Amino acid sequence: MKKILYAAMSAFMLLGLFSCDLQRDPDGQDDQKNYFASLTETKQFRDGLYSVLRGAENPERFVWQDFQSDMFAVTTNDGNTSSRFVTWSLGHMESSDEIASYYLAYYTLLQQANYFVGNIERTIERGIYTTDAQVTSARMYRAEGLVMQALALSRLMERFAYKYDPNAAASPQNLGVVLVKGYEPFSSAPRNTQTECYQYILDRLGEAIEVLPAKSTEGNIRISKNFALALRSRVNLNMGNYSAAIPDAQAVVDAYPLIDATTAAAFEKIYRSDDDNPELVFRGYASSTIGTTVATTINGAFANATYEVLFSPIAAPFQWVVDQYQASDFRKSVYISKKYYTLPGVKAYMVTKHLGNPAYRTNPNVHDFKVASRFFSVAEAYLILAESKAKTGDESGAKAVLTTLSQKRGAVLEDGAAMDLVMAERNREMIGEGSRLNDMLRWNLPNNHDDMENQPDLVDAGVAKNDKLKQAVPAGHFAFTWEIPLRDRQVNPQILKNWPI
């Protein structure tokens, strides 16, 4: 009971903290007015909102989805951290602080985006922006806020709504999330339908796309039309609207080049650089002191006293994950890697996608594993385009898209049915980004975790564990969708729970 009350109090305190940060006047005085005094104040709030976005889209936030998929096995280093998700321990998952944190982070982003958008609308109505140029800028900033609203809601729908079925009539299968449209931090309302939620997301994006420039003059650290198109293609993919996803994904593919490298080392150098990576449609601003995070939960990376990188993983990829990569594939030494020791004398493949950007190191010679949030890469647009083409019967078109992506990664596309190739390529490209669990839900796959083999190197070293699923997980199992956190159901009793237990 104490844990429940503490969680609820923490949620409100955190929400209040964010609210105060974004509602503070330039002179440091709190002000509850519902408009901005000037374009300067609008810009200050805009920067604050981007900070909230970076925190929500922290790459560490998606680790638990990866652990819950069929990609990972528990290791002897785990102290019931990853195993709750890997083994589908539903009681522990239902009370998980990680899931509660995800829910809170995106509702915080939604509330602050609502506040920002509403204030700009009222500031325009009051005629406070004094020139046409200021009004134009304000409308563009409002469009950025619309996209953040859509992003927050889409992330909540990915994890807290069942696979979309427009014909579903029974609850909770037909339910989305609580659709908060204004700044209402303590609102209490029932969940809206999935159709209502998705339509609102698409409407927000459609309106923003009409206003935003294709690419921001401030670079890829700001929301652009291309990011809005990319996000809309992702949403339509998750809805099964494949024909609608194709033109948006194609526009993004046409606008951004893939990394052009001939060796894994050259690919890694470009890939890890936020400044030099041409694939980044939208990323968070970061420097050595601002905007970075350390995303090492997935591999347990640390530097020892001699600055050597070591791993102490709580979970490790199964052998089938490693086998998905060809020997020539650059990603086999960048996204996953066997070049660092797990134990003295023992090397095994770990996920090293977020191992750090050297530009953010405090000491250029010492790994400190700092990375920035990356919101969308053109590689994902390739995958959305290929899957949508395959689902609409264009097998040759899907394979052509996959061929381009795989060749740029140093690999050769295998033979096979287009959707099988899509699934394999998506596994290779999106590892470490929380995609696999959502993909399994969309593709209607079971979790056959107990049939998977650990990496032999970890077995021989006694690091691998053989923890089993707590129950069978057939395709469509209800826990592919997360339960609404208990603290939020207690604060808002109108929220209907997802799980039948």
Side-chain angles (χ1 to χ4, degrees):
M1 186 64 184
K2 287 182 178 179
K3 181 177 181 181
I4 293 170
L5 293 173
Y6 177 79
M9 291 174 63
S10 297
F12 285 118
M13 289 173 66
L14 183 57
L15 186 56
L17 175 62
F18 276 117
S19 301
C20 289
D21 284 346
L22 286 183
Q23 294 184 36
R24 192 174 296 279
D25 273 346
D27 63 2
Q29 299 298 314
D30 287 330
D31 192 341
Q32 298 298 321
K33 69 179 184 297
N34 62 359
Y35 61 91
F36 295 127
S38 64
L39 188 65
T40 297
E41 186 181 31
T42 306
K43 290 179 178 179
Q44 292 172 336
F45 278 64
R46 177 192 184 217
D47 288 341
L49 185 57
Y50 272 90
S51 178
V52 176
L53 172 62
R54 290 197 303 269
E57 288 277 293
N58 180 332
E60 286 280 84
R61 194 152 326 270
F62 306 108
V63 168
W64 314 104
Q65 294 157 245
D66 271 339
F67 286 161
Q68 195 186 337
S69 76
D70 57 357
M71 282 185 156
F72 289 86
V74 177
T75 74
T76 54
N77 296 321
D78 187 63
N80 199 34
T81 300
S82 71
S83 62
R84 295 168 296 151
F85 291 86
V86 172
T87 65
W88 286 52
S89 180
L90 301 186
H92 287 100
M93 287 173 57
E94 185 173 9
S95 60
S96 159
D97 290 338
E98 293 84 4
I99 291 176
S101 175
Y102 182 107
Y103 190 85
L104 175 61
Y106 284 107
Y107 261 113
T108 298
L109 175 61
L110 176 62
Q111 291 280 8
Q112 299 305 334
N114 290 348
Y115 179 85
F116 183 69
V117 168
N119 271 27
I120 290 179
E121 292 169 349
R122 288 182 286 271
T123 306
I124 292 174
E125 291 173 359
R126 286 171 172 264
I128 290 174
Y129 301 124
T130 57
T131 66
D132 290 344
Q134 287 191 351
V135 172
T136 298
S137 293
R139 285 176 174 159
M140 185 181 71
Y141 302 158
R142 174 183 177 273
E144 294 173 0
L146 297 178
V147 176
M148 292 195 211
Q149 291 173 322
L151 174 61
L153 285 166
S154 69
R155 288 299 199 191
L156 290 165
M157 292 292 289
E158 284 175 359
R159 289 287 77 239
F160 298 101
Y162 281 84
K163 181 179 179 180
Y164 182 60
D165 178 0
N167 298 315
S171 297
Q173 286 76 15
N174 69 334
L175 294 180
V177 294
V178 179
L179 187 52
V180 183
K181 296 182 179 181
Y183 181 65
E184 304 167 24
F186 303 107
S187 66
S188 180
R191 296 166 65 179
N192 291 76
T193 67
Q194 287 206 48
T195 299
E196 290 170 336
C197 292
Y198 277 126
Q199 190 57 60
Y200 185 76
I201 291 168
L202 294 174
D203 287 347
R204 299 277 93 179
L205 290 172
E207 188 175 349
I209 286 166
E210 295 300 315
V211 176
L212 291 167
K215 294 184 179 181
S216 172
T217 57
E218 297 177 61
N220 63 358
I221 60 170
R222 297 295 189 184
I223 288 172
S224 64
K225 176 180 178 179
N226 284 329
F227 174 67
L229 292 171
L231 180 56
R232 190 167 68 178
S233 73
R234 182 196 285 166
V235 170
N236 276 314
L237 178 78
N238 288 332
M239 294 178 69
N241 295 338
Y242 303 112
S243 295
I246 288 174
D248 288 346
Q250 185 67 65
V252 178
V253 164
D254 291 342
Y256 295 84
L258 292 166
I259 293 172
D260 189 15
T262 57
T263 67
F267 176 81
E268 179 171 21
K269 182 178 180 180
I270 299 170
Y271 176 79
R272 298 210 185 279
S273 170
D274 290 330
D275 290 332
D276 298 332
N277 188 337
E279 298 184 2
L280 300 180
V281 177
F282 179 36
R283 66 177 178 89
Y285 170 79
S287 67
S288 61
T289 57
I290 295 175
T292 61
T293 189
V294 175
T296 55
T297 298
I298 203 164
N299 55 33
F302 66 99
N304 65 13
T306 59
Y307 309 132
E308 179 185 17
V309 174
L310 299 173
F311 291 130
S312 179
I314 59 176
F318 279 121
Q319 185 61 40
W320 78 264
V321 177
V322 176
D323 292 342
Q324 293 249 303
Y325 295 90
Q326 297 168 6
S328 63
D329 195 323
F330 302 153
R331 295 169 294 192
K332 198 170 186 176
S333 61
V334 180
Y335 294 2
I336 65 172
S337 176
K338 195 179 181 180
K339 61 186 176 183
Y340 301 110
Y341 286 103
T342 303
L343 291 171
V346 178
K347 290 184 178 181
Y349 280 98
M350 298 294 149
V351 177
T352 50
K353 198 172 205 178
H354 308 299
L355 202 57
N357 181 346
Y360 301 143
R361 293 178 185 173
T362 305
N363 181 331
N365 299 315
V366 179
H367 280 275
D368 54 13
F369 312 109
K370 292 178 183 176
V371 293
S373 297
R374 294 181 172 184
F375 309 122
F376 201 96
S377 165
V378 71
E380 185 180 348
Y382 273 82
L383 296 167
I384 293 171
L385 182 59
E387 183 172 344
S388 299
K389 284 177 176 288
K391 287 290 190 178
T392 54
D394 185 2
E395 291 250 332
S396 61
K399 289 181 180 181
V401 173
L402 294 174
T403 296
T404 300
L405 178 59
S406 61
Q407 286 179 346
K408 287 293 187 180
R409 297 319 196 219
V412 177
L413 189 69
E414 310 96 324
D415 294 328
M419 264 310 299
D420 290 340
L421 299 177
V422 165
M423 289 190 284
E425 189 64 21
R426 191 169 177 94
N427 291 340
R428 287 187 286 263
E429 184 62 37
M430 299 297 288
I431 190 170
E433 297 185 33
S435 173
R436 176 65 177 173
L437 189 65
N438 296 334
D439 295 342
M440 293 174 73
L441 178 62
R442 189 172 68 257
W443 298 332
N444 203 36
L445 298 180
N447 186 343
N448 295 323
H449 170 278
D450 294 354
D451 297 332
M452 310 302 182
E453 294 183 1
N454 280 294
Q455 295 181 53
D457 293 319
L458 294 177
V459 174
D460 294 343
V463 175
K465 292 181 69 178
N466 197 29
D467 289 13
K468 302 294 186 181
L469 293 170
K470 300 296 185 182
Q471 65 279 307
V473 183
H477 190 284
F478 61 82
F480 276 104
T481 298
W482 283 346
E483 181 58 275
I484 307 291
L486 176 61
R487 86 158 175 234
D488 294 276
R489 287 185 278 122
Q490 289 180 323
V491 171
N492 180 5
Q494 296 185 70
I495 295 178
L496 186 67
K497 72 193 306 281
N498 277 327
W499 292 358
I501 58 172

